[in-house]
Amino acid sequence: LVTFYPPVDTGLFQPDPPVRSAVRAELGLADAALVIGTVGNINLQKGHDDFIRAAAQVKSRVRDAKFLLLGATHANPRDYIESLWRLAAELGLELGRDLISLDPTGRMHELVQAMDVFWMTPRPNSEGIPTVIEEAMALELPVVSFDVGSIAELVEHGRSGYVVQSRNPADIARWTIEGLLDPERRAELGRRGRRFIIDHASLMACAERHIRAYELALGVPIASAVPSAGVRL
């Protein structure tokens, strides 16, 4: 059995302190003690309502924490989107100040650099292995996520982040508060996450896995199966 992960450009998605500083300044996050974010089009499947509920609980403990939603908004889920902003207001999160929503089209690899922690709070049966989590890990961001789809095969609980078994946003907040307020701890988990992506989901790793699968299918090494000596793999 050869397993495949969605490929990630680890050259494009790598920590860049100058870009991080510039983006945080652009978004008004320069003085934030903690920036928690997610990436995904804003719709019911992505569970942004649970993100907001967890954010309010973290905000009650970390007063200068900020929350970043990177995702396009479309007309179809308009009622849901408006309900999110009402929920945020009810829970004491001011849109544009505490909670920033932005379409990242064309700039996602830059804007994610502003984050300290990456959250995913999707509905059940809505995810496989999210490429956005892989990209966050490549940027050395620790991940806290609901256990949906194959996310637990990607995020090693306690090593590169935390996989929450419940559907309770309070547990997303709890794992973040208990495990990720220390910058050194975040850096440690982040480094492990990037190492995992390089080993399993980088372009080179994905190419090698495909070659291995073909070799198993052919029963011979790829090099000996290629008729032309001029073909390079």
Side-chain angles (χ1 to χ4, degrees):
L1 176 65
V2 180
T3 58
F4 297 93
Y5 292 84
V8 175
D9 185 341
T10 53
L12 182 64
F13 287 90
Q14 63 177 320
D16 189 326
V19 170
R20 171 184 166 85
S21 297
V23 169
R24 285 174 75 110
E26 174 190 343
L27 300 180
L29 302 172
D31 298 327
L34 182 70
V35 177
I36 298 172
T38 193
V39 175
N41 291 339
I42 299 182
N43 56 52
L44 183 65
Q45 283 187 317
K46 296 298 182 182
H48 291 87
D49 50 331
D50 282 334
F51 181 102
I52 289 171
R53 293 184 181 96
Q57 297 200 32
V58 170
K59 185 74 173 177
S60 69
R61 294 282 301 275
V62 186
R63 297 307 304 170
D64 52 356
K66 304 288 185 180
F67 304 90
L68 183 58
L69 303 179
L70 297 179
T73 57
H74 301 286
N76 288 343
R78 177 58 56 189
D79 290 345
Y80 173 71
I81 294 169
E82 291 178 354
S83 76
L84 294 178
W85 309 149
R86 290 194 298 271
L87 176 64
E90 291 167 2
L91 296 177
L93 298 174
E94 182 179 336
L95 186 63
R97 184 175 68 97
D98 303 312
L99 180 67
I100 297 170
S101 177
L102 187 65
D103 186 337
T105 302
R107 299 190 60 203
M108 202 268 280
H109 62 288
E110 298 175 353
L111 295 172
V112 178
Q113 300 260 5
M115 300 177 189
D116 297 301
V117 176
F118 190 88
W119 281 358
M120 277 205 78
T121 54
R123 295 289 194 271
N125 305 315
S126 64
E127 300 288 348
I129 288 185
T131 304
V132 294
I133 287 186
E134 293 183 321
E135 292 166 346
M137 291 170 68
L139 290 170
E140 296 188 359
L141 296 177
V143 176
V144 185
S145 175
F146 287 144
D147 186 10
V148 174
S150 296
I151 290 174
E153 297 178 36
L154 183 63
V155 180
E156 297 178 279
H157 185 78
R159 289 188 54 80
S160 57
Y162 300 103
V163 181
V164 177
Q165 300 298 319
S166 74
R167 286 281 314 142
N168 189 347
D171 289 331
I172 295 284
R174 178 175 63 84
W175 280 108
T176 302
I177 291 168
E178 294 179 1
L180 295 174
L181 294 189
D182 178 14
E184 292 186 5
R185 175 66 172 163
R186 293 199 299 267
E188 179 185 5
L189 269 63
R191 286 191 295 269
R192 290 177 185 157
R194 179 169 173 82
R195 183 72 260 167
F196 182 94
I197 295 302
I198 289 172
D199 290 344
H200 295 86
S202 64
L203 300 179
M204 182 60 70
C206 289
E208 290 174 349
R209 284 170 183 260
H210 278 77
I211 290 172
R212 175 59 178 156
Y214 276 105
E215 287 179 335
L216 288 172
L218 292 168
V220 294
I222 285 288
S224 64
V226 177
S228 172
V231 176
R232 298 183 63 187
L233 297 175

